[in-house]
Amino acid sequence: MIRRYKNTQKIQAGRALGTPQAARALAQAAREGRLRLRTRVLKEGERLDTVAGEELGDARMWWIIAACSGIGWAIQVPGGTELKIPAVLAEVKALVG
């Protein structure tokens, strides 16, 4: 069995990147304006992992865009959805690590 996230970096204190705890922290920070975000409107047929690869340099970071955008855990969302993408990944790491 191939495990897509087997080598995802772990964060101390029992939190891991891509977990619900980290996603909740990012969603709250985005709502409160504690992250610098840029927006992008999702085109029909695009997926969050593809956007994450283009915008963040790593398709595995799709969950970061989902959390900041208030989408939840869906990797595919309808075209026309406004995405909120962190402009500075160091801010993301500071929040969840």
Side-chain angles (χ1 to χ4, degrees):
M1 173 188 296
I2 297 174
R3 295 183 183 206
R4 182 176 185 177
Y5 300 103
K6 180 180 176 186
N7 296 319
T8 300
Q9 178 184 6
K10 299 289 180 184
I11 303 296
Q12 293 180 4
R15 293 180 298 173
L17 291 174
T19 63
Q21 296 88 351
R24 278 193 296 272
L26 288 176
Q28 183 175 356
R31 282 191 308 272
E32 295 173 354
R34 293 185 285 130
L35 286 173
R36 284 178 274 180
L37 300 168
R38 60 184 183 271
T39 59
R40 172 176 169 171
V41 176
L42 193 67
K43 296 175 187 165
E44 194 66 40
E46 280 188 308
R47 297 181 350 180
L48 294 185
D49 56 341
T50 305
V51 172
E54 293 171 6
E55 297 280 349
L56 303 176
D58 188 338
R60 295 174 297 173
M61 294 186 184
W62 68 269
W63 66 274
I64 293 172
I65 297 171
C68 291
S69 302
I71 294 170
W73 287 100
I75 199 164
Q76 276 187 287
V77 293
T81 301
E82 183 178 272
L83 303 177
K84 295 177 184 171
I85 303 165
V88 181
L89 281 178
E91 292 176 356
V92 170
K93 290 180 182 180
L95 282 169
V96 296

